[in-house]
Amino acid sequence: MANILDIRRRIRSVKNTRQITKAMQMVSAAKLRRAQERAMAARPYAQMLVNVLKSLVARADTFDEQTGEPTNPLLLRREENNVLLIVVTGDKGLAGAFNTNILKAAARFVASKQDKNIDVIAVGRKGRDYFKRRYPYAPEAAEGVETKRAGAIQIVGEQVGILNRVPFAKAREIAEQVVKLYSEARVDSVYLVYNEFKSVIAQRLIVDEILPIEKLGESDIKQAEGMSEEDRKRAIEAAKKTGASVRAADTADIDKKAAEFGAAQVDYIYEQSPKELFGALLPKYMAIQVYRAMLESEAAEHAARMTAMDSATNNASDMIDSLTLVMNRARQAKITKEIIEIVSGAAAQ
């Protein structure tokens, strides 16, 4: 049987670990609330931009009357030979299966496009490290340099260390790179892999086709994977202990006001041509799409870490109880042995 002193040391070590996981759980809950607030603050702008574009589509031609071509290259659908994949993961671990699930979804997507050339932009350290271990890094391909492909699958860009507090400037930078690649016909479609977040218990992992643009304001989801019932129960328990809300934010009023703008029966006179208007607004629409995905992934990561740290804390408590029981048994066995030795010695005399 283990030495009592060793068991006590292990119990003390597990207690220290439990304090750390509990603190990390509370920190993640606080960061989750802030991430949700940032996502909500960005929603009115995104919704209004979508409705401005819908209003423009309803009142201006999206196709040139003479050539029959779309007024903007982002609306043009081509045969899919070259694919751009944007994968949004976290920068840190200790978040349960959060990063693993995203990378598995990306791997399934890559497997489904084996006959295509795939360029990858990795957002987040975990995704960057995963792809760099498997595929060549060719950043010059995203700059328009005419070089031979490093492979059928290659990494053309990375963004690391930005998901702790997502800056819109980085989302716009990624969107500008994507728009340039698509406009120059160097990629034929663009897909975004991220964790869509509505609340702690309403999340799903999706693969969304963002280019070409089919319908403004509507996702073209190719793959989707929701939370299991067991994951929901664990998330609810973790949220109860930290005071985090499990309900999705009510945005009915915001959506209603934004929808009224797009549905207003008013005739506008545009000074610019439809081509100029779409050329200015569609890149902004792409930037807000990427920004939304990054904000929701940030919130989902904090929710996953909060749940994982709650499970770790519970496991530490169970281990402490188990070790305490072992220690008590060892101590009782030692006492019993000493009593037997005393009694045996007395009987021998």
Side-chain angles (χ1 to χ4, degrees):
M1 188 171 288
N3 185 283
I4 294 177
L5 185 60
D6 291 338
I7 298 174
R8 283 177 176 167
R9 285 173 179 167
R10 190 173 180 192
I11 289 174
R12 187 163 57 248
S13 175
V14 175
K15 283 183 177 178
N16 292 337
T17 302
R18 184 175 63 178
Q19 288 180 338
I20 294 171
T21 56
K22 185 66 176 177
M24 290 181 67
Q25 179 185 355
M26 301 306 295
V27 169
S28 293
K31 288 184 176 180
L32 170 61
R33 283 190 285 269
R34 290 198 293 270
Q36 286 179 296
E37 289 171 0
R38 286 196 291 272
M40 284 299 300
R43 179 160 183 152
Y45 172 80
Q47 191 64 47
M48 186 58 72
L49 178 60
V50 168
N51 282 281
V52 166
L53 282 167
K54 285 183 177 179
S55 177
L56 178 60
V57 168
R59 295 171 173 84
D61 293 328
T62 56
F63 290 87
D64 190 292
E65 294 181 355
Q66 297 179 351
T67 63
E69 293 292 321
T71 54
N72 189 278
L74 302 183
L75 301 171
L76 177 63
R77 177 171 288 278
R78 297 186 290 266
E79 182 182 354
E80 189 179 77
N81 293 314
N82 300 305
V83 176
L84 177 63
L85 179 65
I86 305 172
V87 183
V88 184
T89 61
D91 289 316
K92 301 177 182 178
L94 298 177
F98 173 78
N99 292 307
T100 302
N101 289 338
I102 293 175
L103 294 174
K104 283 182 178 179
R108 287 195 298 269
F109 175 83
V110 169
S112 69
K113 303 286 184 181
Q114 288 183 346
D115 57 335
K116 315 292 184 186
N117 292 324
I118 301 178
D119 294 341
V120 179
I121 295 178
V123 179
R125 183 172 283 105
K126 291 296 181 181
R128 189 275 308 271
D129 294 345
Y130 172 86
F131 284 104
K132 273 193 171 181
R133 286 195 298 267
R134 290 163 175 79
Y135 308 114
Y137 185 51
E140 65 279 358
E143 303 300 328
V145 180
E146 293 295 333
T147 59
K148 185 179 179 181
R149 290 188 64 88
I153 303 171
Q154 60 182 12
I155 306 168
V156 299
E158 61 175 271
Q159 292 289 345
V160 175
I162 63 174
L163 290 179
N164 189 37
R165 190 176 180 86
V166 180
F168 180 73
K170 287 294 182 182
R172 183 171 55 201
E173 180 182 326
I174 295 171
E176 288 173 353
Q177 184 179 13
V178 169
V179 168
K180 180 181 178 183
L181 290 171
Y182 194 86
S183 300
E184 295 176 356
R186 282 189 277 142
V187 297
D188 304 312
S189 59
V190 181
Y191 295 85
L192 187 60
V193 182
Y194 70 101
N195 204 310
E196 185 183 54
F197 181 89
K198 295 186 183 299
S199 72
V200 172
I201 60 172
Q203 304 177 43
R204 61 176 182 166
L205 184 60
I206 64 173
V207 179
D208 185 11
E209 185 178 8
I210 59 174
L211 280 178
I213 298 172
E214 289 289 338
K215 292 184 179 180
L216 292 166
E218 296 183 15
S219 298
D220 188 6
I221 297 173
K222 301 301 181 182
Q223 296 179 21
E225 181 181 345
M227 296 177 69
S228 66
E229 193 61 34
E230 184 179 350
D231 290 339
R232 284 197 182 92
K233 288 179 180 178
R234 286 203 300 265
I236 290 172
E237 289 300 319
K240 285 180 180 178
K241 294 177 184 178
T242 58
S245 175
V246 297
R247 294 183 178 181
D250 185 8
T251 60
D253 291 340
I254 296 174
D255 294 341
K256 183 179 178 181
K257 290 180 180 178
E260 287 175 356
F261 174 85
Q265 298 300 318
V266 179
D267 191 16
Y268 297 100
I269 299 175
Y270 298 107
E271 292 184 0
Q272 296 85 2
S273 66
K275 183 176 181 179
E276 291 177 301
L277 290 169
F278 282 119
L281 292 176
L282 287 179
K284 295 182 185 295
Y285 173 71
M286 290 304 304
I288 205 66
Q289 289 282 88
V290 175
Y291 186 54
R292 179 179 63 86
M294 293 167 67
L295 285 176
E296 293 190 10
S297 289
E298 178 193 10
E301 181 185 3
H302 291 316
R305 185 168 292 112
M306 179 184 71
T307 303
M309 290 301 99
D310 180 63
S311 297
T313 302
N314 293 338
N315 292 339
S317 297
D318 293 341
M319 184 176 288
I320 290 170
D321 292 341
S322 177
L323 289 171
T324 301
L325 182 60
V326 171
M327 184 185 68
N328 291 338
R329 284 177 177 172
R331 186 170 57 185
Q332 185 64 43
K334 183 179 179 181
I335 293 170
T336 302
K337 182 180 178 182
E338 290 176 353
I339 291 173
I340 290 173
E341 289 175 351
I342 293 170
V343 172
S344 299
Q349 293 178 356

